[in-house]
């Protein structure tokens, strides 16, 4: 292990400048979900030049590389996402996005570059590699989700993948650190739409109308009772109404109100319970006031649940690679979503956070127009991923 650690340290240091340059190039040319044609082409060319077997167009714009080690052993997958966000960049860096309205504001440019650098280093260490490594470059993590189409295209088969690992750049930690959680670490980010259909009328004659706005107010309060009064308090639930639309004029009673929102849960059973409870409340309140409703609940990604043994493996490797301070255990999950969750529903694996914040310029949150990373994080990511691949015994 010590010898492998040293080799990885040396080889990742050699590739670091190239990976930073790759990241800057991806950063300047961001592509949104399922538009990752140029990014995918660049990824495929890079892998082919390393002698890695490449498959393109997997789950539309995804790219998969397979590197066989010189020794028999398990197959592990490492996954990066490639898509950018519809955000106009405001970092002012020289390598800022050249496309107005599109930006790598979630660090996926970094994830893609880290995985390419990892592929390069591992391709130089085939004699040390037991088994094979599948490099999964996934589209559309930000939505509508590229993991599921890649899974449907069989990304975890031929050869069957035994375990999968992924990372996300994260401004809560410093470069040289990773953040790791056990169990559920990210939420199911579901959506909903509620329409309340009353009866319009003159603002001076409410008794002749059915006011969808006052009913909407009751529904908003009622829905919050699910989180505070109906679900076991030890299980987190977020109910956020993000938009509310309705009405015509100050003196007209609105006939219809539409609200959209998001529900965040960590526990699959709680998640299943929520839509029914929501509908009961919406139905009860609207019928009590003589209104009608439409309700649509849209299931998005599942909660992201790290597998116990795989999280232990990441912790163990992380401490050997980065020292004991290098692994920060996360106590609180975040209620954001991540479609890496779909892979973990199929096979063992773990997802960890890669520290990227070394000061004010790299402290902005993910998705912020000034989001940026300390690029020292890239080599840390490569070192951890290489060692996860080289030491995995199945
Ligand atoms: Ni992201």
């Amino acid at each position: 292990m010590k010898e492998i650690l040293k080799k990885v340290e040396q080889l990742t240091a050699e590739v670091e400048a190239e990976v930073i340059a790759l990241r800057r190039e991806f950063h300047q040319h961001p592509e949104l979900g399922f538009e990752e044609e140029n990014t995918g082409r660049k990824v495929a060319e890079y892998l082919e030049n390393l002698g890695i077997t490449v498959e393109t167009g997997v789950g539309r714009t995804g790219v998969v590389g397979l590197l066989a080690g010189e020794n028999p052993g398990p197959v592990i997958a490492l996954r990066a996402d490639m898509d950018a966000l519809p955000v106009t960049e405001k970092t002012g860096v020289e390598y800022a996005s050249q496309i107005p309205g599109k930006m790598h504001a979630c660090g996926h440019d970094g994830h893609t570059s880290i995985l390419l650098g990892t592929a390069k280093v591992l391709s130089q260490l085939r004699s040390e590699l037991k088994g094979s490594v599948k490099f999964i470059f996934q589209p559309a993590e930000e939505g509508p989700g590229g993991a599921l189409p890649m899974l449907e295209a069989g990304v975890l088969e031929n050869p069957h993948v035994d375990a999968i690992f992924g990372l996300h750049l994260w401004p809560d930690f410093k470069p040289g650190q990773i953040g790791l959680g056990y169990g559920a670490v990210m939420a199911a980010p579901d959506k909903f739409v509620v329409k309340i259909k009353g009866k319009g009328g003159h603002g001076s004659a409410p008794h002749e109308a059915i006011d969808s706005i006052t009913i909407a107010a009751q529904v908003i309060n009622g829905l919050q009772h699910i989180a505070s009064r109906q679900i076991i308090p030890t299980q987190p639930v977020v109910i956020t109404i993000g938009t509310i639309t309705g009405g015509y004029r100050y003196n007209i009673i609105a006939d219809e109100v539409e609200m959209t929102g998001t529900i965040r849960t960590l526990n699959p059973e709680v998640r299943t319970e929520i839509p029914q409870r929501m509908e009961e409340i919406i139905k009860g309140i609207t019928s009590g006031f003589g209104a009608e409703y439409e309700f649509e609940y849209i299931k998005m990604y599942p909660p992201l649940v790290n597998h116990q043994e795989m999280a232990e493996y990441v912790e163990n490797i992380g401490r050997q690679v980065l020292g004991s301070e290098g692994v920060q255990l996360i106590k609180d999950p975040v209620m954001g979503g991540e479609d890496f969750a779909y892979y973990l529903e199929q096979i063992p694996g773990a997802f960890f956070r890669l520290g990227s914040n070394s000061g004010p310029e790299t402290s902005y949150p993910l998705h912020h127009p000034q989001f940026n990373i300390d690029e020292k994080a890239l080599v840390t990511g490569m070192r951890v991923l290489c060692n996860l691949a080289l030491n995995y015994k199945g």
Side-chain angles (χ1 to χ4, degrees):
M1 167 94 203
K2 280 251 163 69
E3 217 170 289
I4 291 179
L5 269 179
K6 276 231 165 89
K7 275 188 189 166
V8 168
E9 187 160 2
Q10 183 204 329
L11 292 171
T12 50
E14 283 171 25
V15 84
E16 182 178 7
E18 185 185 351
V19 167
I20 290 172
L22 279 169
R23 184 251 160 177
R24 292 182 178 199
E25 193 177 323
F26 290 131
H27 195 86
Q28 287 179 71
H29 306 101
E31 294 175 298
L32 302 183
F34 292 126
E35 290 175 1
E36 306 91 337
E37 303 284 348
N38 290 323
T39 309
R41 196 175 306 122
K42 179 100 199 158
V43 164
E45 272 173 24
Y46 191 92
L47 296 174
E48 273 162 8
N49 285 337
L50 299 173
I52 290 175
T53 314
V54 178
E55 208 183 325
T56 57
V58 184
R60 290 169 68 180
T61 43
V63 179
V64 180
L66 183 67
L67 174 71
E70 284 178 13
N71 316 284
V75 181
I76 82 153
L78 304 173
R79 174 274 209 174
D81 40 16
M82 301 188 288
D83 56 318
L85 282 161
V87 170
T88 296
E89 179 158 354
K90 290 187 181 143
T91 58
V93 294
E94 65 193 6
Y95 54 87
S97 168
Q98 293 180 0
I99 304 167
K102 294 182 191 180
M103 176 190 175
H104 269 294
C106 199
H108 300 188
D109 51 341
H111 306 164
T112 302
S113 319
I114 289 168
L115 196 53
L116 288 176
T118 301
K120 182 162 190 176
V121 170
L122 290 176
S123 70
Q124 293 166 342
L125 290 172
R126 282 185 64 231
S127 60
E128 306 282 345
L129 192 62
K130 296 169 199 73
S132 305
V133 183
K134 220 176 237 191
F135 301 96
I136 299 177
F137 293 87
Q138 185 209 293
E141 194 287 320
E142 300 290 354
L148 210 49
M150 287 195 93
L151 284 165
E152 283 162 2
V155 73
L156 296 183
E157 300 305 326
N158 299 315
H160 175 76
V161 177
D162 297 294
I164 186 163
F165 300 95
L167 57 76
H168 203 298
L169 286 155
W170 213 271
D172 288 357
F173 305 101
K174 293 187 201 124
Q177 287 183 327
I178 61 167
L180 176 72
Y182 284 82
V185 290
M186 295 187 78
D190 295 336
K191 284 188 201 172
F192 66 87
V193 183
V194 184
K195 275 187 196 157
I196 293 159
K197 299 178 163 188
K199 189 176 150 211
H202 198 286
S204 66
H207 59 294
E208 288 171 4
I210 296 171
D211 186 350
S212 61
I213 287 187
T214 54
I215 296 168
Q218 306 275 352
V219 168
I220 292 167
N221 285 327
L223 292 177
Q224 293 304 328
H225 280 238
I226 297 173
S228 70
R229 305 286 89 182
Q230 294 186 326
I231 299 295
I232 185 165
T234 47
Q235 287 296 340
V237 178
V238 178
I239 299 176
T240 291
I241 291 171
T243 70
I244 172 161
T245 327
Y248 308 97
R249 196 168 184 271
Y250 78 98
N251 63 354
I252 298 174
I253 288 173
D255 57 350
E256 193 172 308
V257 167
E258 183 181 287
M259 299 188 279
T260 64
T262 186
I263 303 291
R264 306 294 169 118
T265 50
L266 293 175
N267 178 309
E269 284 159 31
V270 171
R271 184 190 188 199
T272 316
E273 200 179 325
I274 300 271
Q276 195 196 334
R277 289 202 177 271
M278 288 181 75
E279 184 147 15
E280 279 167 6
I281 285 166
I282 296 162
K283 191 176 180 180
I285 291 172
T286 49
S287 76
F289 293 115
E292 288 179 353
Y293 73 93
E294 278 174 28
F295 174 58
E296 192 188 358
Y297 190 95
I298 305 129
K299 279 195 157 186
M300 302 294 288
Y301 311 155
L304 192 157
V305 184
N306 276 340
H307 292 230
Q308 178 71 23
E309 277 176 31
M310 297 297 113
E312 280 167 10
Y313 178 61
V314 173
E315 184 179 351
N316 174 29
I317 293 291
R319 292 202 193 282
Q320 294 189 56
V321 176
L322 309 170
S324 56
E325 288 296 293
V327 180
Q328 301 284 312
L329 292 180
I330 300 160
K331 287 175 210 87
D332 293 320
V334 289
M335 300 305 274
E338 163 61 66
D339 75 351
F340 191 78
Y342 284 113
Y343 303 102
L344 296 184
E345 283 192 327
Q346 309 272 324
I347 56 167
F351 192 72
F352 60 94
R353 303 177 192 172
L354 179 63
S356 60
N357 179 0
S358 58
E361 281 171 17
T362 49
S363 65
Y364 293 97
L366 299 170
H367 295 202
H368 192 283
Q370 283 168 277
F371 172 79
N372 201 5
I373 58 162
D374 184 325
E375 288 168 323
K376 283 198 216 77
L378 304 174
V379 75
T380 305
M382 287 189 281
R383 287 174 65 200
V384 176
L385 292 182
C386 287
N387 281 291
L388 286 172
L390 290 161
N391 294 290
Y392 190 79
K393 300 202 173 65

